[in-house]
Amino acid sequence: MRQKILIVSDSHGNHKYLKKAIQNMGTYLDLLIHLGDSQTDPDVIAGMVNCPVEMVRGNSDGLSKLPGTKLVDLGLHRALLTHGHRYGGRYGIPMMKEMAKENGADIVMFGHIHEPLLEQEDGMTVLNPGSISQPRQEGHRPTYMVMTIEEDGRAEYATIYMD
């Protein structure tokens, strides 16, 4: 069965674009992944959707009891979820990839850098959805990613730039 996964990060308590992203998904949302710096009670995020939610703690999430790193099975794939700040963001990608491999994961998902990123090589996917509220890339448009897991297990990714 085909799955649609909404991947966001760095909402920093501003839900305007997060709500739009959820609305854009319509009824085709099987999972929401938030990669940290939500600065919001996880129950508030969970209350926005009618699907499971996976979240990790970011550097701006204070005393949140969310885990800093989490492994999640997504169809035939396993993803390492982290905010990435403890690994140096973009500069820590080799370390995050190694941690993923050690835990049988073929996907690394992280936030923190506020810029979208998608790299696929040697059987490993590394992605960052950018920031849904405080983008830093050229054009400064909020971004998120949609992961589609096809019936054959193949994963496809789309970066969505919002207006």
Side-chain angles (χ1 to χ4, degrees):
M1 185 168 100
R2 188 176 201 214
Q3 289 184 300
K4 290 280 190 176
I5 301 166
L6 174 61
I7 307 165
V8 301
S9 188
D10 296 280
S11 53
H12 291 281
N14 181 344
H15 300 141
K16 176 183 175 183
Y17 290 105
L18 177 56
K19 288 177 181 176
K20 281 185 177 183
I22 292 167
Q23 184 179 19
N24 289 347
M25 297 294 295
T27 58
Y28 303 104
L29 182 56
D30 297 298
L31 177 66
L32 169 62
I33 295 175
H34 197 300
L35 297 171
D37 280 1
S38 67
Q39 291 183 264
T40 303
D41 184 316
D43 292 337
V44 172
I45 302 287
M48 293 180 187
V49 293
N50 292 319
C51 66
V53 175
E54 296 287 353
M55 295 179 71
V56 292
R57 182 180 63 248
N59 58 296
S60 296
D61 288 326
L63 300 175
S64 169
K65 294 186 193 272
L66 290 168
T69 303
K70 189 177 215 178
L71 289 166
V72 177
D73 291 322
L74 304 170
L76 300 175
H77 303 276
R78 175 171 273 189
L80 174 77
L81 313 182
T82 186
H83 186 59
H85 64 290
R86 291 185 175 163
Y87 307 102
R90 179 185 321 273
Y91 304 104
I93 289 173
M95 189 184 319
M96 289 185 273
K97 286 170 69 172
E98 186 59 36
M99 184 186 304
K101 286 179 190 173
E102 289 172 2
N103 286 281
D106 60 336
I107 303 169
V108 172
M109 297 183 184
F110 75 105
H112 190 61
I113 63 173
H114 293 234
E115 296 178 7
L117 170 82
L118 179 62
E119 297 177 351
Q120 295 176 293
E121 69 175 321
D122 300 326
M124 179 71 67
T125 299
V126 177
L127 67 84
N128 188 311
S131 174
I132 193 89
S133 72
Q134 298 178 4
R136 293 183 184 152
Q137 78 278 4
E138 187 176 330
H140 301 282
R141 291 169 60 195
T143 56
Y144 62 93
M145 284 190 168
V146 176
M147 177 183 184
T148 304
I149 302 175
E150 299 294 345
E151 290 187 20
D152 64 3
R154 186 174 31 91
E156 295 181 356
Y157 305 89
T159 302
I160 310 300
Y161 289 80
M162 304 178 80
D163 292 319

